[in-house]
Amino acid sequence: MNDYVTVTADNALGSRNGAIKLHGPDGFAGMRKAGRLAAEILDALTTQVVPGMTTQDVDDIVHRMTIEGGGVPATLGYRGYTKSCCTSINHVVCHGIPGDKTLKDGDIVNVDVTPIVDGWHGDTSRMFLVGDVPIKARKLVDVTYECLMLGLEQARPGNTIGDIANAIQAHAEKQRYSVVRDFCGHGVGRLFHDAPEVVHAGRPGTGAELKPGMFFTVEPMINIGKADCKMLDDGWTAVTRDRSLSAQFEHSIGITEDGHEVFTKSPAGLDHPPY
Ligand code: MF3
Ligand code: CO
Ligand code: CO
């Protein structure tokens, strides 16, 4: 059984003892603001991610916009990570580290940002198409976005994490894609990574029951090939073992009385490509 604890902004920083936090109106207000800045940063990138730029150039934009927006990048200094976002290209599943790598025509790249605003974490990622992208990769990106949205459709009180997971898994596997098991969504709020663990594959009705005030991310990683991942020697970059393409989208949400609120929705309607 899962433990739930009702919190306010003042005690939402409690360490993780496995209890699932149920936030109040002050939490929703905080997450709305952080989520909006996160989405605006990704919106700005839609016109700026182009062939020839480096992933460090992307990081520089994210860093500048985060600070200008009154935030701090959560990843900067997080467990020794030294960049302001993650940039995961092609067969990189997640946690690609920005650097001197150049984006090439035909690449697909996930940019994952998490500004902290007034102590709240807005965690979101989208895929970007670099120049002319082959249909096979574009289809993966489309289906991965659909997986996220089908998962979110299940996000309401009385349903469980397993209902979200099953919707994602069913849609991915219908296209003969696979769902990454090595990384999950997570509780989010004044902590970057909190309970519960949000799996992206599973059986309906299993896992934690969703209750109003729960804040968490849904961030499915979908591979064209097998689900298996391996970690590169940098200790962060996760890639598909078979080097098949991988895609991911992420939103931060809050469970409401009758459904959910997406904190990281694009104000400009640029939630997925083509932008
Ligand atoms: N934003 C990622 C997530 O969705 C976490 C990145 S942690 C980092 O949970 F250190 F790799 F940046
Ligand atoms: Co996340
Ligand atoms: Co993220």
Side-chain angles (χ1 to χ4, degrees):
M1 275 313 277
N2 288 281
D3 268 350
Y4 296 83
V5 55
T6 301
V7 299
T8 63
D10 295 333
N11 62 1
L13 209 48
S15 71
R16 24 172 170 177
N17 57 0
I20 296 172
K21 296 186 178 76
L22 303 179
H23 299 268
D26 52 354
F28 277 84
M31 285 301 290
R32 233 167 252 145
K33 213 167 143 190
R36 184 178 176 95
L37 177 59
E40 285 171 348
I41 293 167
L42 295 182
D43 282 356
L45 288 176
T46 59
T47 53
Q48 297 189 67
V49 171
V50 290
M53 79 192 301
T54 67
T55 50
Q56 182 60 51
D57 295 332
V58 174
D59 198 68
D60 291 343
I61 297 168
V62 171
H63 186 266
R64 183 174 40 75
M65 284 200 71
T66 304
I67 302 298
E68 283 175 5
V72 176
T75 56
L76 206 51
Y78 179 79
R79 296 173 184 244
Y81 193 83
T82 61
K83 300 292 175 178
S84 298
C85 65
C86 298
T87 49
S88 303
I89 305 172
N90 296 338
H91 70 294
V92 178
V93 174
C94 63
H95 304 163
I97 307 172
D100 53 20
K101 197 168 185 64
T102 297
L103 297 178
K104 297 188 323 295
D105 188 65
D107 284 346
I108 57 171
V109 59
N110 176 280
V111 181
D112 190 339
V113 302
T114 310
I116 307 172
V117 180
D118 299 339
W120 297 93
H121 293 71
D123 188 4
T124 184
S125 80
R126 295 179 207 158
M127 297 301 296
F128 295 81
L129 307 178
V130 183
D132 248 333
V133 170
I135 182 71
K136 187 175 143 186
R138 285 201 320 258
K139 186 186 166 201
L140 172 69
V141 169
D142 289 347
V143 170
T144 303
Y145 182 72
E146 291 161 10
C147 284
L148 170 60
M149 297 319 281
L150 288 167
L152 292 186
E153 268 180 28
Q154 298 297 320
R156 59 175 177 271
N159 272 5
T160 69
I161 297 285
D163 293 318
I164 296 175
N166 188 256
I168 292 168
Q169 182 181 8
H171 190 60
E173 292 181 353
K174 197 163 64 195
Q175 332 289 324
R176 300 160 107 269
Y177 294 156
S178 57
V179 179
V180 168
R181 310 301 210 271
D182 302 37
F183 302 91
C184 296
H186 49 90
V188 70
R190 295 198 65 184
L191 292 178
F192 192 179
H193 294 113
D194 203 353
E197 187 166 90
V198 180
V199 297
H200 300 114
R203 306 227 314 266
T206 61
E209 185 184 335
L210 307 182
K211 296 181 189 261
M214 277 173 73
F215 294 172
F216 57 88
T217 72
V218 181
E219 47 180 303
M221 287 140 277
I222 307 296
N223 301 345
I224 288 185
K226 294 207 169 75
D228 308 70
C229 301
K230 73 173 185 204
M231 173 91 76
L232 298 190
D233 289 338
D234 61 24
W236 285 103
T237 310
V239 299
T240 55
R241 246 179 211 290
D242 60 10
R243 295 185 67 85
S244 67
L245 288 180
S246 184
Q248 179 179 30
F249 285 86
E250 174 176 26
H251 272 315
S252 295
I253 70 167
I255 301 296
T256 60
E257 291 300 325
D258 59 358
H260 65 273
E261 176 174 344
V262 179
F263 298 125
T264 47
K265 205 174 159 32
S266 165
L270 303 172
D271 287 291
H272 63 94
Y275 298 119

